[in-house]
Amino acid sequence: MSHVPAPTPPARPLVTERLVLRPVRSGDVPAVTRLWTDPEVRRHLGGPVIDSVIRIRQRRIVGAAGFHAVVRAEDGVVLGLVTVEAAGRGGETEVSYQFLPEHWGRGYAREAVGAAVARALEAAPSVVAVTQEANHRSRRLLEAVGLEHAESFVEWDAHQVLYRRSR
């Protein structure tokens, strides 16, 4: 008789002044799919995701632990996605994010990522985030929420920067 682990309970919603970060629901899939296919969103993330991978992701993301739809509290519009997961980098927790271009420049990403980092640091000794060196907006956001440049390296044929914040 094999032991099947119990499913991971969904993360409790994280509420900020203007946003709610909650598990992805089936109604969020079209907006999340746009994140994976929009050339502007994916410019520093290796380009748009191919169709076969999108179909797999669409089946797996609803209710998946670590994935948080970022919705505007006032109207429930999906603005983006924040992911919080074990990074494999010495047990650190990694935060990543993508937001739809029509919501850029309004502070939503900073608010959501800052809240996700703060929550992650309640349980983890440190949080990391990686972005391309050329992604200046993302680098400013990470610095604004208290992460500091920790190292630079080349991966996926691009210069990357790892940021870290410890408790």
Side-chain angles (χ1 to χ4, degrees), residues 81-159:
L81 184 68
V82 172
T83 306
V84 181
E85 59 190 346
R89 292 179 172 85
E92 292 181 296
T93 297
E94 184 170 357
V95 173
S96 60
Y97 47 91
Q98 300 173 58
F99 281 76
L100 293 167
E102 62 266 27
H103 305 298
W104 293 358
R106 297 186 179 128
Y108 292 131
R110 180 183 294 183
E111 187 174 329
V113 173
V117 166
R119 166 133 345 138
L121 286 171
E122 291 173 5
S126 62
V127 173
V128 296
V130 176
T131 190
Q132 281 191 8
E133 186 176 284
N135 192 343
H136 300 289
R137 291 178 77 153
S138 185
R139 293 182 69 186
R140 283 192 304 270
L141 182 150
L142 293 171
E143 291 167 1
V145 300
L147 280 81
E148 297 178 353
H149 177 265
E151 65 181 90
S152 297
F153 56 94
V154 176
E155 186 176 61
W156 309 108
D157 297 323
H159 292 272

Side-chain angles (χ1 to χ4, degrees), residues 24-41:
V24 176
R25 299 175 183 162
S26 58
D28 304 332
V29 171
V32 173
T33 300
R34 274 192 58 216
L35 290 168
W36 297 328
T37 58
D38 186 285
E40 270 304 294
V41 173

